[in-house]
Amino acid sequence: MAPAYEIRAGGDPVQIKNKKQSMADLKLRRLTELNLRLREDLDRPRVKLSEAAMGLINYTNSTKDFMVPQIWGNIDKRDDPYSPQSNDKGCCTIM
């Protein structure tokens, strides 16, 4: 009759040490890569929010945009690329 439980051998201590060392190396490599990504993120040039907002306001005031009628006033429908185009032919084309 076979025993219900087998006694497991502890394994080769050198293999266990190598496995633990490889896990430590993997963890070290992951931490080093994370550290590098965080340093690159830290070195990225930053713009203050007030400067970015002022730039956006200046761009909106200097560039004609049909989507901002509060600044440019009402646009003639034929000049507005976002208005529906009127065709005398109807709405659909059948080929």
Side-chain angles (χ1 to χ4, degrees):
M1 184 165 135
Y5 298 101
E6 291 183 27
I7 298 175
R8 203 167 30 169
D12 186 12
V14 174
Q15 286 180 344
I16 293 173
K17 185 178 180 182
N18 287 341
K19 184 176 181 180
K20 286 183 180 180
Q21 183 65 32
S22 66
M23 292 297 286
D25 289 340
L26 179 63
K27 189 173 185 178
L28 176 65
R29 185 178 53 153
R30 286 182 180 170
L31 286 173
T32 305
E33 289 172 358
L34 175 63
N35 192 0
L36 179 64
R37 285 194 306 265
L38 290 173
R39 286 183 189 272
E40 289 172 354
D41 192 32
L42 187 63
D43 292 338
R44 188 174 298 136
R46 306 286 184 198
V47 177
K48 292 182 180 179
L49 179 64
S50 56
E51 293 174 10
M54 199 57 162
L56 184 60
I57 290 169
N58 290 338
Y59 177 80
T60 305
N61 286 333
S62 64
T63 305
K64 193 169 188 174
D65 188 356
F66 299 108
M67 299 301 284
V68 188
Q70 295 85 355
I71 295 175
W72 296 100
N74 291 331
I75 309 294
D76 189 13
K77 291 219 182 239
R78 60 186 154 93
D79 294 335
D80 186 359
Y82 300 109
S83 70
Q85 300 295 322
S86 63
N87 291 334
D88 295 335
K89 298 177 182 177
C91 66
C92 302
T93 304
I94 298 175
M95 300 185 108

